[in-house]
Amino acid sequence: VNYWDKVVSGYITHRELKTPLAYALLFDMGVNFGTGHGFVRKAEEELGVPSRSKPGENGITEEQLITKVAELRKASHYRQADRDNLPGLKVRGDFWVDRCTQNDWDFVGDANGFVNINGRRINVLNP
């Protein structure tokens, strides 16, 4: 399965999403949940905008949409972590919400190119 092409055509192109963080989050979700996951449509529903509509034209920003998607994913991970005793899923959910709340839309980490993952500083610019 070509996840990248399916994510781009299914979620990114028609919404005209542009941020590297949106691409990375949606690709990761496509790999982990399948390319037909309902998180983006659920986020649009909760934000009160038409499904598959373009941020910037529908009354919300891309950042608002992607933040809501990350929050829904985090909630899903937390439920599964609690249900199946898989605490590592919480770290994964927290990671994407943290990127959004830290306004890391270019997906480059802090001023020095680092992100904190479960207490470990990882350089995303020079891995």
Side-chain angles (χ1 to χ4, degrees):
V1 175
N2 187 333
Y3 291 103
W4 181 258
D5 289 342
K6 288 186 179 201
V7 167
V8 170
S9 65
Y11 297 105
I12 294 170
T13 302
H14 56 275
R15 290 180 180 90
E16 297 181 3
L17 301 179
K18 303 204 179 344
T19 64
L21 181 59
Y23 276 70
L25 171 62
L26 294 173
F27 177 72
D28 187 62
M29 292 176 74
V31 170
N32 287 280
F33 291 98
T35 56
H37 67 77
F39 287 97
V40 179
R41 288 182 299 282
K42 178 72 171 162
E44 290 167 330
E45 179 184 314
E46 289 192 12
L47 291 167
V49 299
S51 180
R52 301 173 61 91
S53 59
K54 296 176 186 171
E57 295 178 8
N58 63 4
I60 64 168
T61 65
E62 178 173 336
E63 291 82 359
Q64 288 172 301
L65 175 63
I66 296 304
T67 298
K68 179 56 80 174
V69 170
E71 290 168 349
L72 291 169
R73 180 191 183 161
K74 176 180 176 174
S76 173
H77 278 322
Y78 269 57
R79 285 189 303 273
Q80 184 179 1
D82 291 341
R83 182 189 70 226
D84 298 336
N85 192 28
L86 299 169
L89 286 177
K90 291 182 177 182
V91 174
R92 189 179 198 105
D94 291 340
F95 174 80
W96 294 106
V97 170
D98 289 348
R99 301 281 43 86
C100 294
T101 58
Q102 294 173 20
N103 294 312
D104 189 10
W105 301 108
D106 290 328
F107 201 41
V108 295
D110 65 18
N112 297 312
F114 286 89
V115 296
N116 184 324
I117 302 174
N118 203 22
R120 207 169 146 217
R121 286 177 39 91
I122 307 293
N123 189 312
V124 294
L125 297 179
N126 297 303

